[in-house]
Amino acid sequence: MNRIQLGNTVFEGENDVYVLDGETTALVDTGVALPDVRADLEAGLAERDIAFADVDAIALTHWHPDHAGLAGEIQAAGGADVFVHEADAPLVDGTETPLTADPVLQRETFERWGLPEADQKRLRDFFDAVSADLSGPPADVTTIADGDVIDVGGVALEAVHLPGHTAGLTGFAFDPREVPDHEPVGREGRDPGRTASRPPSDGSGAPAELFSGDALLPRYTPNVGGADVRVDAPLAAYARSLARIVERDFDAAHPGHRERIDDPSRRAATILDHHRHRTRRVLEVLADGGPATAWEVSAELFGDLVDIHVLHGPGEAFAHLDHLADAGVVERDGVDYRLVDPDPDVDALFPATPLDDAVDGSSD
């Protein structure tokens, strides 16, 4: 895969930008609009004799600045088409303000999570320090929805909506044989009884790989709840997305950060199991300590937090508490959550997959 890895110390780091350079030139994601990252991308493209002005299309997996931040600048250089899911489009074209720049939304969110005033200020100060230039200029976008197929860089990309980390996070499924200079990964070493579920538009049984963005990452679990506070029932949405990845059983996933994932179904099932274990841990916190806010549960789960994790920690705790409240296991009382069912069937709160017995997400 023609991949450019970017330095990025603000968020998760080691962002991946994928170059599809066939009859036309396309990028999957772009990186954050910081000078060092921009230089990384320009240098990586220059090694392939590509400049920003040569890019014909950009397929964005989601709106976060470390994925979409340079889209507007690249589009301005050469008129590239920018494709993004309709749910994330307003945060790429500038018609909606993100949490990092919306004081009213910040206050509502932080109070709902029970953040103390000092920690609210600490997080606002972090936003002020790092967020001003992360997103770059807005882009004119073409919206896509689940199942749409776009032809970019000579490759047909099927939009696979995988919400949770963001409302519009979208993977792109593709036939790896269409990608220049890419050897299909194959399925060596897997259970021969496992067969891929191919895109519904393709009945050929062809190999299929996935640009997964941050729906699936190789070394840690994508944040749910704090990464996009617009998502309704974020943990339930993400659990369904993970189950969908398991069902599709792609040959490989090319994530938004770090290295390729050679068994995406197993990785998705492992992350899903991780959330079952985390749900049990949240229940233990409430059983041992009584009613608690999302912030207080976060402190028990993650300890002291700094920088962006002051957002992601309580957001993740909120996502689990919200999931339990929707199931009637806990009850909301203002900003506190109180345990009402001390012995729920946690497995029943998540979708089942054929790989559940083969994975262990307890240490993920």
Side-chain angles (χ1 to χ4, degrees):
M1 176 60 62
N2 212 342
R3 179 185 69 158
I4 300 172
Q5 193 162 77
L6 307 175
N8 166 24
T9 59
V10 177
F11 299 118
E12 290 90 346
E14 297 186 37
N15 281 88
D16 294 322
V17 171
Y18 299 96
V19 184
L20 304 175
D21 195 20
E23 294 181 2
T24 60
T25 299
L27 304 180
V28 178
D29 287 345
T30 66
V32 69
L34 292 174
D36 289 349
V37 176
R38 182 186 297 107
D40 286 346
L41 182 58
E42 288 176 326
L45 290 172
E47 291 177 2
R48 299 157 175 82
D49 297 319
I50 301 169
F52 280 5
D54 299 323
V55 176
D56 300 294
I58 300 167
L60 296 175
T61 60
H62 59 298
W63 68 266
H64 284 164
D66 56 331
H67 296 263
L70 287 167
E73 184 174 337
I74 295 170
Q75 183 181 65
D81 294 320
V82 176
F83 298 93
V84 65
H85 190 275
E86 57 196 359
D88 278 8
L91 288 161
V92 178
D93 68 17
T95 57
E96 187 174 331
T97 303
L99 173 74
T100 55
D102 187 336
V104 174
L105 183 58
Q106 290 173 17
R107 172 65 69 176
E108 292 173 353
T109 301
F110 301 161
E111 290 186 352
R112 183 167 67 249
W113 293 350
L115 265 71
E117 185 59 43
D119 294 291
Q120 293 189 33
K121 182 180 185 305
R122 189 158 58 102
L123 190 49
R124 287 193 298 268
D125 288 346
F126 172 76
F127 290 159
D128 291 343
V130 305
S131 64
D133 300 318
L134 296 182
S135 295
D140 294 326
V141 304
T142 300
T143 59
I144 56 175
D146 185 61
D148 287 349
V149 177
I150 57 175
D151 195 332
V152 298
V155 181
L157 301 181
E158 178 210 354
V160 182
H161 188 209
L162 300 169
H165 184 65
T166 75
L169 197 147
T170 296
F172 295 101
F174 63 95
D175 183 337
R177 299 171 301 180
E178 296 182 0
V179 180
D181 303 318
H182 176 56
E183 183 71 25
V185 173
R187 305 174 63 80
E188 292 78 7
R190 297 202 207 174
D191 180 350
R194 288 171 53 193
T195 57
S197 173
R198 299 308 178 200
S201 59
D202 179 7
S204 67
E209 298 179 16
L210 179 73
F211 293 118
S212 64
D214 287 1
L216 201 65
L217 297 173
R219 299 193 196 178
Y220 50 90
T221 60
N223 181 257
V224 179
D228 189 346
V229 299
R230 304 171 307 144
V231 183
D232 184 48
L235 182 55
Y238 187 46
R240 290 191 297 270
S241 294
L242 291 168
R244 188 179 189 191
I245 293 172
V246 174
E247 180 183 6
R248 290 290 295 263
D249 202 16
F250 296 101
D251 297 331
H254 305 273
H257 301 264
R258 297 182 170 83
E259 65 272 8
R260 187 182 74 200
I261 301 168
D262 285 348
D263 193 343
S265 291
R266 182 174 291 274
R267 180 60 183 149
T270 300
I271 295 175
L272 188 55
D273 191 57
H274 157 85
H275 283 291
R276 295 188 189 99
H277 284 281
R278 178 154 290 169
T279 297
R280 293 187 179 95
R281 178 70 183 116
V282 170
L283 292 169
E284 289 173 1
V285 171
L286 295 180
D288 293 344
T293 66
W295 175 255
E296 291 165 342
V297 171
S298 170
E300 294 295 325
L301 296 177
F302 309 116
D304 293 334
L305 299 170
V306 297
D307 298 338
I308 194 64
H309 301 291
V310 180
L311 174 69
H312 286 176
E316 182 95 12
F318 167 78
H320 281 265
L321 291 163
D322 177 70
H323 192 57
L324 290 166
D326 286 346
V329 177
V330 306
E331 188 173 74
R332 299 181 185 91
D333 181 10
V335 297
D336 287 325
Y337 292 82
R338 180 174 61 86
L339 186 62
V340 295
D341 181 355
D343 189 27
D345 182 354
V346 171
D347 289 343
L349 303 179
F350 293 89
T353 83
L355 296 180
D356 288 346
D357 292 337
V359 299
D360 180 4
S362 60
S363 61
D364 216 77

